[in-house]
Amino acid sequence: HIYPGYVVLLLALIALWSFRKRWRMWVVAALTGFFLWAAMGPEIRINGYGTGIPGIFTLLTNIPFFQANRYPSRYSVMILLGLGLLAALGAYAILNRLRTTTRKTSFMVALAILMLFEHLSIPLPLSDLRLPAAYKRIMQENRHDALLDLPVGWRNGFNVFGKSDVIIMYEQWWQTYHEKPILGGNTSRNPEQKFQYFLENPVIGVLIALQDGRPVPVNDFEKAQTLGADLLAFLNIHTVLVHRDKVPPDFEQALHQLFPLQPVSVEEGIAQYEAVWSPISSLDLTPADAALRSFLNAGWGAPSSFEQTTALWAVYPQASLMLPATKQPATLSLTLYTPDTQSIQLELDGRSLATHALAPGVHIIALPLPPARNDFPRHLSIRAVRSFPAAGIRVAPRIIGQTGMISPVNIVVRSAGKDTGDFGHMYIDGEDASLNQRGYNLVAIDPDSGELLTTTNFDTHDPRQAPMASTAMAAWIRALPQGTIVAGAVRDAAALNLNEDAISALQTLGVSEDIRGNLRRAHGFVGVKGAPPGTAASTTSDLWPVTIVIGDGITALRPAFALLRLEWRINNSP
C-alpha cells in the first residue's frame, strides 16, 4: 500500500550516514519513523504475519484531531514527505562527491530514470466508465423521478451497509449522467439516523436482505408486500434497474412480489422495470404503525406507550417529518403531547407555515398545505421553543418485562448487527451509557435511585479475547447484587465465542435467548438480577436492529414534545 521504492530508501540511508552529525536531519528521521510506526496499524505485521509488537495507531485513535484518521495508511503522506527530504539530502551528498558537471548531470538523469522505473505500472489497471444502454434509455425519457438502482448500498468511512460491492460506486458515477435521486450512495461522515432510515424501513430492509441472500421471515416479507407500492409512490420511483450479476438468482422473483413491476428490457446484464402505482391520497398513522417509519426524518426517539396509544418523542428541539408530494392542496393533522407549556413553529420545505402555543396535554393541530412544487417528498420541520429534562418525563409505564420490577429511570436499548447498523446503545434517561463496542455492552443500574453503577463491554466475538471475555462477563453478572437492573446491547457480533457460563449468567437476569450459532444477531435486553429466565424484556433479530423501551422512548437528554398521530389527506379525497 505504501511503496517508496528501493532507490529512495537507499538515498535516505546515505543521508543518515553523510549527515549523521546534523541534529536537524535526525529530527526529520525520527518524525518519519514515528509516522511509519503509526502507518503499520494496531499491530506490526511482517510478511502478513502478526509479530505481537503493538503499533501506536490505536493510541492515536483516542487523541482529538488524530482520531479523525480511520486508516493507518493515510500517514503515508508524512512518511513520503520525510523520505523525500532524506532522499534529497542523500542525492546532495552524492552530488558533492562528483567532480564534473557531466557526471552530476548523468547521475541526476540516471536517478530520475531509476525512480520512474520503480514506480512504473504496466499494464495500468482501468475501469470501464462508459454509460450502459439502460441508463441512456432512462435519460431519453426525460422524466423527473427517482431511480431504484439495485443492488443498493450505503458507504461511509466506517462501514458499508447493503451491497458491499464496487457496483454501488458505479451507480453513483452513472448518476452524474441521469441526475435522478437514488437510494444508495457514499458519504464521509453522517449521523447514524441517515443510514438507519433505510436499514430500518420495513420495505427497504427486506430488499437489502434479499439482495444479500439473507433469509427473510415470512411476517416481515408479508408486511413489506403491503407497503411496497406506497413506498415507491412516496419516493417517486418509476424506474427500477437490476444488475443481475450482482444479486442472487431468485432475487427478481421476490422483487416482483414486493413491488408492482412491468418488464421493459434486458440489456448488458441489466434488467429494467417500470413501477406501476397509484399516488398516495391519504395517511392515518400512529407510532405503532410500521408505515410511519418512511415518513420520519431526523430528531425522533423510540415508540413508547401513551395511555391507549403510542407516542414518539421529539428528542431534540427540532424534529422533522417527510410528507407525500401532491400538486393539489392537502391537509395535515398532527396530534401532539407536551408535558408543559410549549410553543412550536412549523416550516414546510423551508418556508414558515404556522406557529402554535400549546398548554400542557394533548393537542390536535390542523394545517392546510399548499401544492408541492415537484414530485419528491416534502419536508416538514417542527421547532420547539422549550425542551424538558428527560429524567422528569414519566408518561409511559416503566415495568421491566415480566419481572414485576419498576425502573426508576427511562431505559432505551438499541442493538444492531454489522449488517443492520453496527451499534449497541443504552439510553438511561436520554443519556447513552453504553461503551458501544463490539460484543455485549452492559450497564448496571441501582433499582432504588436509578444511579448508573457501572458500564462495561465484553467482546465475546474476537477469538483472541472471547474465551476470557465470556468468562469475565459471567463473573461480572454473578457479582451483581440481587435486584440490580441490567441493560445489555450487542454491537456487531457477540456469538462466535460465547460460552455456556455467560449464557447461564444471562439467565440469572431473566434473559432466555441464546444467540450462539448466529454470527451477527442483534440482542437487546433489560433484566433484573435474580429474575427467572424468560421474564426480562428481551428480543433478538437477524434482519433488523432491535429496540427495548422501558418507560418513555427518549434517546437524548432534553425532549420537547411527543407525536401521537399523523393524518394527511388530499383535499376532497375519499
Side-chain angles (χ1 to χ4, degrees):
H1 202 87
I2 303 170
Y3 177 65
Y6 291 107
V7 174
V8 169
L9 293 176
L10 179 60
L11 290 173
L13 290 173
I14 292 172
L16 291 175
W17 175 256
S18 301
F19 300 98
R20 57 189 180 276
K21 296 181 180 180
R22 305 282 184 90
W23 66 269
R24 291 183 178 87
M25 188 275 302
W26 287 107
V27 171
V28 173
L31 288 173
T32 304
F34 172 81
F35 287 111
L36 179 62
W37 186 20
M40 290 183 179
E43 181 187 18
I44 307 302
R45 300 174 68 84
I46 297 177
N47 200 29
Y49 296 95
T51 63
I53 302 171
I56 200 172
F57 180 75
T58 304
L59 175 62
L60 294 177
T61 58
N62 294 305
I63 299 176
F65 178 76
F66 284 94
Q67 65 185 2
N69 178 26
R70 303 176 303 280
Y71 298 102
S73 60
R74 287 178 177 167
Y75 288 113
S76 62
V77 175
M78 303 305 297
I79 295 170
L80 295 178
L81 177 61
L83 286 176
L85 292 171
L86 293 174
L89 286 171
Y92 177 74
I94 295 174
L95 283 171
N96 281 342
R97 293 176 178 272
L98 299 176
R99 299 295 183 182
T100 66
T101 303
T102 302
R103 290 182 178 180
K104 291 181 179 181
T105 303
S106 300
F107 169 74
M108 294 304 297
V109 171
L111 187 62
I113 292 173
L114 284 172
M115 284 185 173
L116 289 173
F117 176 76
E118 279 203 296
H119 292 85
L120 191 63
S121 180
I122 298 177
L124 188 68
L126 298 175
S127 296
D128 187 354
L129 297 178
R130 292 173 294 182
L131 191 66
Y135 294 93
K136 295 178 181 178
R137 190 178 301 109
I138 63 175
M139 287 174 63
Q140 293 169 355
E141 295 171 356
N142 196 29
R143 187 164 53 185
H144 297 289
D145 61 346
L147 170 66
L148 180 55
D149 213 349
L150 297 171
V152 65
W154 299 267
R155 179 181 182 273
N156 60 16
F158 300 93
N159 277 310
V160 179
F161 299 113
K163 192 65 174 180
S164 182
D165 189 282
V166 71
I167 186 64
I168 67 175
M169 310 301 288
Y170 273 100
E171 289 169 354
Q172 270 198 286
W173 166 247
W174 295 322
Q175 187 189 29
T176 64
Y177 287 89
H178 62 71
E179 297 182 343
K180 296 178 182 290
I182 59 176
L183 291 191
N186 179 41
T187 185
S188 179
R189 292 166 177 81
N190 57 282
E192 188 176 275
Q193 180 270 341
K194 292 299 183 181
F195 282 178
Q196 293 309 120
Y197 172 84
F198 301 100
L199 299 178
E200 298 185 45
N201 184 283
V203 179
I204 301 173
V206 167
L207 191 66
I208 296 168
L210 291 172
Q211 72 179 21
D212 291 344
R214 291 184 281 127
V216 177
V218 174
N219 291 342
D220 289 311
F221 189 82
E222 291 176 347
K223 185 189 298 181
Q225 283 181 296
T226 63
L227 302 174
D230 280 349
L231 179 69
L232 295 181
F234 174 58
L235 297 177
N236 191 29
I237 293 173
H238 286 278
T239 305
V240 178
L241 297 181
V242 181
H243 297 265
R244 287 182 164 176
D245 62 329
K246 301 295 184 179
V247 295
D250 58 350
F251 175 75
E252 286 178 75
Q253 179 181 351
L255 191 66
H256 279 279
Q257 297 177 49
L258 283 180
F259 301 127
L261 301 177
Q262 292 181 351
V264 175
S265 67
V266 179
E267 195 170 353
E268 299 175 337
I270 302 175
Q272 179 178 347
Y273 295 96
E274 179 74 10
V276 182
W277 41 259
S278 299
I280 300 173
S281 60
S282 64
L283 297 171
D284 186 357
L285 302 169
T286 73
D289 295 312
L292 180 65
R293 187 171 292 276
S294 295
F295 305 97
L296 297 177
N297 203 349
W300 304 98
S304 54
S305 298
F306 183 91
E307 298 176 353
Q308 301 302 312
T309 183
T310 51
L312 189 67
W313 282 94
V315 293
Y316 299 106
Q318 178 177 343
S320 56
L321 298 165
M322 292 186 290
L323 302 173
T326 174
K327 297 299 177 63
Q328 301 170 260
T331 300
L332 173 68
S333 178
L334 299 175
T335 303
L336 305 178
Y337 166 79
T338 177
D340 205 338
T341 56
Q342 181 65 278
S343 177
I344 61 170
Q345 302 168 351
L346 298 108
E347 294 181 356
L348 181 65
D349 297 332
R351 296 189 173 189
S352 178
L353 190 64
T355 300
H356 289 269
L358 307 178
V362 177
H363 300 268
I364 299 177
I365 300 174
L367 302 165
L369 304 180
R373 295 185 174 184
N374 56 49
D375 296 321
F376 296 107
R378 312 188 75 178
H379 291 262
L380 179 75
S381 173
I382 310 174
R383 300 175 184 269
V385 173
R386 298 185 63 191
S387 60
F388 311 99
I393 305 296
R394 298 184 64 93
V395 177
R398 297 181 175 182
I399 301 174
I400 302 174
Q402 305 300 316
T403 65
M405 174 76 77
I406 296 176
S407 172
V409 290
N410 296 304
I411 304 174
V412 178
V413 172
R414 298 258 295 150
S415 167
K418 184 73 171 180
D419 299 324
T420 59
D422 190 22
F423 55 75
H425 300 302
M426 292 173 287
Y427 300 94
I428 313 301
D429 275 340
E431 182 174 6
D432 193 357
S434 174
L435 296 180
N436 196 22
Q437 301 294 319
R438 184 175 63 186
Y440 270 100
N441 296 279
L442 302 174
V443 299
I445 302 167
D446 186 279
D448 299 316
S449 66
E451 177 187 357
L452 179 65
L453 300 176
T454 184
T455 179
T456 187
N457 165 266
F458 300 96
D459 187 353
T460 54
H461 172 79
D462 189 341
R464 296 172 298 179
Q465 303 179 32
M468 292 186 295
S470 185
T471 301
M473 176 174 157
W476 183 85
I477 294 173
R478 292 194 179 100
L480 295 173
Q482 293 291 104
T484 302
I485 299 171
V486 180
V490 167
R491 176 181 176 178
D492 181 9
L496 188 62
N497 289 281
L498 191 63
N499 295 335
E500 181 65 35
D501 53 354
I503 296 298
S504 299
L506 287 172
Q507 292 175 351
T508 68
L509 304 176
V511 176
S512 59
E513 290 85 356
D514 183 346
I515 66 171
R516 287 178 295 178
N518 302 277
L519 180 60
R520 288 197 158 98
R521 175 167 290 181
H523 185 200
F525 68 86
V526 180
V528 178
K529 180 64 182 296
T535 59
S538 179
T539 188
T540 65
S541 177
D542 294 313
L543 182 59
W544 308 104
V546 299
T547 302
I548 301 290
V549 178
I550 306 298
D552 293 281
I554 299 171
T555 55
L557 291 174
R558 296 191 65 87
F561 59 89
L563 173 68
L564 306 182
R565 190 171 186 176
L566 182 153
E567 298 173 87
W568 176 91
R569 187 179 303 275
I570 297 176
N571 293 351
N572 302 320
S573 66

